[in-house]
Amino acid sequence: MVDQRGSQDRDVRPTADDGLSAVGSRRARVDAVGRVRGEVTHVGDEALGSTAHVALHRSTRPHARIRSVEVDEALAIDGVHAVVTGADLYAALGERMLTGPAFQDQPAMAYDRVRYVGEPIAAVIATDLATARAATESVSVEYEELEPVYDLDAALRGDAFVHDELRPSAVFGDLRHLSGVRGTNVNYEFTLTRGDAGSVEPASSVRERFWSPPTHHVPMELPCTIAWVEGDRLEMLTTTQTPSYVRQTIADMLGLPLSDVHVRTRPLGGSFGCKMYDRLEPLTAAIAWTLRRRVRVLATREEAFLLTTRHGARVTGAMHADANGDLLAATADVLYDTGAYADVGPRITGKSGMVASGPYRIPHVSIRSRCVYSNKPSAGPFRGFGVPQVTWSHEGLIDEMAHQVGEDPYAYRRRHLLREGDTAAMGTTMHSADFVGCLDAVAQAVGWTEPPERGEGRWRRGQGIAVGMKAVLTPTISNAVLQLNQDASASLLISTVEMGQGSDTIMAQIVAEVLRIDSHRVHVVPADTDVTPYDTITAGSRSTYHTGNAVRLVAEQMRERLIGLAAEQLGAPESELRLTAEGVVRTVAGGDGDTGPLRPLPIQDIFLQHFRARGTTLTCASNYTTDWIPYDRTTGQSARATEHWFAGAVAVRAAVDTWTGRVRLEHLAVAGDVGKAINPHLVEQQLAGAAITGIGHALFDELVIDQGQLINGTLLDYQVPTIGDMPDRLTPIVVESPHRTGPFGAKGVGETGILGVAPAIANAVRDAVGVRVTELPLTPERVLNALDEKQTAERAAAADRSEESQ
């Protein structure tokens, strides 16, 4: 049950005293009915016509040189138009076929060697999909085996290297200094130093090694890309969160001006990070361009598991406290397994490394965070951007420290949490990050001060709590174009991609709030690089703040244009006019004995008087760009590491079956500081949805990779949460600490709810049965093994005591 009574909505101050307020309203998503009924069209629904279908022959080796690729047998199959190999694309495009946001390390198809099982080597282009897929079985590859790198330890030993040298791309300029580095599998290292963690003399210490396995995003919609050539232009319709990035990548790869690459998308059927940057687009574009054919690449569910994963991460951490229980120091050695290609791993490594000590006031901090290549499918962004993996560590450590010093885990966290104006470990001042408010809210929701009935038989109960901290992606750029129509409706042009998060709805609400119109009369135009302006990315929970600010600015420009036109028409100073739901009104009395404002001048009449025609439009454009101060390469310090913070907390009441190890969630409360909720209903949905994803990571999700081979890459084998796994009660709580530069004080929320879920559940298990599990997921086997180890240790201790007493 989702309990929405936990929402802490606050009053909204309208921009005019007309009773109309779009910001803060709980209006339904614009696409809610269409998504439920299947009326929203996706990329895969595009009419095919003469489109040729592409299927891929994939590597069976984790690491090997490609000696030869035989395609004649496949070409002889009826219905096969062509077979293109990675070597063919390399001959046509050269090293331009290597793409990647951090490093230019990933070929559209392997051409010289393969680096993971499942890497594309050859593409069959055929009349229909069944023929194309069948023909891939007729492609044969001769390999020369190379030593594989299967895990983090092997990667660090350096017995073999996944890449000969590092090749930074042009996207992340701060990685240029790594160009040409050879003889390593560590492609990026971030260090953070505050104070001197090695000098402290603690009274209490806790140390642990934590593991978060790779997981998959499992969106409902499968990745799909369609590409074709019209004249000298490359046209593309694709499932991407990053249309502006894709356009630049394809233009660079094909040697085209940006104006000759046209990228469109449709509303996505979920993503959670798996449809960002370089997925199917480079391969599809390269085939379409070289063959001059309209082609379609649709990933199967099994292939989707190979396109990208969440980073597996190992964190070896410690916390130290003095005799009063005050935290003195925190250390962490963080290792992210980025797989065969770096993707955005270096960014994840830095952004998560800087918060690896948690949202706490700790005078001495030492963090080492590394991104490491291995011969596995490439890892990339996933909801939380690597932060859940370090939160798993620091929330386990501080929980154990609370037990060790004899304090309540909730109260212990509360007295150490960062407050407004505090300086965090990386040197940035905290603003609009109400960790205390979030912590208090979830504790109150689950009744923390009244512990659960512990139980005496098979089922034992406990409660756990955790806090999460994440920085928004900075720096980034957002643009907005607003077209206001003569009938007071509007079209908003932005490149934020609607993928179920409700961005179209809240952007319409922001426009409506400023212009005092009905938000249902604001249409958001889907991302289209020929039409909608540049936007860095739809990810990292950045859109509400960044794009929302661009939208607020463009709406304010439009409001000023309307007031300027009205001032001309009314013969009144602009300073005496304001825009209301009825139109532009005068706020002071006119001359000749007037005692009140003039009759409102409706928007429709302003247009008619100005243009003297019906159906006319006014257009404004705006930009919102954020900046940062790059980390010091030695200390990781930055006075402005991010534009704003996400603060969240989770509290759980759980029951543990001591016979089977099964964990059952009775109540989960999740709170997020959203600055100001543009739409509280959508915020609650985002908090609840993120928490459900976190439940999967805590209890079920795990990609099993053995000797480079993915073992459970189907939905028959890969377990995700079902309705039966949901908590008996789920309470999303909206906390509002307005950001001084957010649109109406707002910030994003999409990732906040996932950060603390896994550690809160593990802490509840620890409270219930006294065992600390440090490897995810918390499967019944792991919990039962921990209970067995505890009982064995207790029996051994009892035997020792017995011997000592004799």
Side-chain angles (χ1 to χ4, degrees), residues 288-357:
W289 187 256
T290 55
L291 295 184
R292 290 300 197 270
R293 274 189 177 273
R294 180 183 173 97
V295 296
R296 176 180 188 254
V297 181
L298 172 65
T300 65
R301 180 62 67 182
E302 292 75 12
E303 288 175 319
F305 276 92
L306 298 171
L307 281 173
T308 187
T309 72
R310 185 173 87 151
H311 286 79
R314 188 174 77 196
V315 184
T316 305
M319 283 188 177
H320 309 284
D322 64 18
N324 296 318
D326 296 332
L327 289 176
L328 292 175
T331 64
D333 183 10
V334 186
L335 293 166
Y336 285 99
D337 187 341
T338 202
Y341 300 106
D343 198 273
V344 75
R347 271 293 182 268
I348 288 173
T349 301
K351 294 291 186 181
S352 60
M354 73 176 183
V355 297
S357 59

Side-chain angles (χ1 to χ4, degrees), residues 115-174:
R115 293 180 170 87
Y116 69 94
V117 175
E119 183 166 13
I121 297 174
V124 175
I125 299 91
T127 304
D128 59 85
L129 188 56
T131 298
R133 287 176 175 168
T136 62
E137 300 296 326
S138 297
V139 175
S140 61
V141 180
E142 181 184 351
Y143 299 99
E144 176 191 334
E145 302 277 358
L146 297 173
E147 183 177 354
V149 178
Y150 286 136
D151 55 40
L152 290 168
D153 291 326
L156 295 178
R157 284 197 307 271
D159 299 333
F161 300 111
V162 179
H163 293 271
D164 295 331
E165 68 176 276
L166 302 184
R167 301 179 47 164
S169 76
V171 180
F172 298 159
D174 57 314

Side-chain angles (χ1 to χ4, degrees), residues 4 41 341 443 517 532 540 562 701:
Q4 296 186 349
T41 57
Y341 300 106
I517 61 178
T532 56
L562 288 172
D701 285 48

Side-chain angles (χ1 to χ4, degrees), residues 344-390:
V344 75
R347 271 293 182 268
I348 288 173
T349 301
K351 294 291 186 181
S352 60
M354 73 176 183
V355 297
S357 59
Y360 301 109
R361 291 177 289 188
I362 306 175
H364 303 281
V365 175
S366 177
I367 307 295
R368 186 186 192 190
S369 185
R370 288 172 284 177
C371 185
V372 182
Y373 283 126
S374 68
N375 291 118
K376 299 176 185 175
S378 176
F382 195 117
R383 196 174 202 168
F385 210 66
V387 175
Q389 291 95 310
V390 295

